[in-house]
Amino acid sequence: MTESAQLNQTDPQKRYDVLHTECAARDVVDHVTSRWGVWVLISLRSNDLRFYELRDSIQGISEKMLAQTLRALVQDGLVWREVEPTTPPQVTYGLTEFGRDVGEPLTELFDRITRRLPPRSTD
């Protein structure tokens, strides 16, 4: 198994080379900024959600793409996954501390964007 991308960098001399194609941090950025990664992090920012709730909260995402996106974000340590052994299994997702830390600037970015957009017309 590969090393988790959730690493604590306390030594400023050991920075990630994010422009290098083999950089673990670059993979995490790719997953966060993927077409659906941003929306998953935004959707989970205030509530833990079951798979179907998450799917319903993100308009336009297919179950396949949601599953792939969640798999990558769980592997990166941004999202946790809990399976309840029921029939059918109930799977709940939420943000880890790392995921909340990464998602905070995304929320701020979207707040800034929506404040600057012209009001929506109600035609």
Side-chain angles (χ1 to χ4, degrees):
M1 186 171 168
T2 60
E3 193 173 300
S4 174
Q6 184 181 358
L7 302 174
N8 293 322
Q9 287 293 314
T10 55
D11 184 356
Q13 299 298 329
K14 295 183 178 180
R15 303 290 301 178
Y16 286 107
D17 181 5
V18 294
L19 299 179
H20 192 279
T21 58
E22 301 294 320
C23 180
R26 186 172 177 167
D27 289 340
V28 174
V29 170
D30 286 345
H31 295 150
V32 168
T33 61
S34 70
R35 178 169 183 190
W36 300 110
V38 169
W39 305 118
V40 168
L41 294 177
I42 294 292
S43 293
L44 291 173
R45 71 183 170 207
S46 56
N47 295 336
D48 302 338
L49 297 172
R50 292 200 174 135
F51 183 88
Y52 74 90
E53 293 171 323
L54 192 51
R55 183 200 61 216
D56 291 347
S57 74
I58 305 171
Q59 292 185 4
I61 193 168
S62 68
E63 287 190 17
K64 178 183 176 183
M65 287 310 302
L66 178 58
Q68 288 176 355
T69 302
L70 285 167
R71 194 174 304 117
L73 295 174
V74 167
Q75 185 176 3
D76 292 338
L78 296 162
V79 172
W80 56 261
R81 176 182 191 264
E82 180 180 37
V83 180
E84 295 178 38
T86 58
T87 304
Q90 295 180 352
V91 184
T92 305
Y93 295 90
L95 294 180
T96 64
E97 183 180 337
F98 182 37
R100 283 190 300 277
D101 192 38
V102 168
E104 189 176 318
L106 296 174
T107 300
E108 188 176 315
L109 172 68
F110 286 104
D111 287 346
R112 286 179 186 219
I113 290 170
T114 56
R115 281 194 308 266
R116 299 286 243 158
L117 289 174
R120 293 181 72 176
S121 63
T122 56
D123 294 338

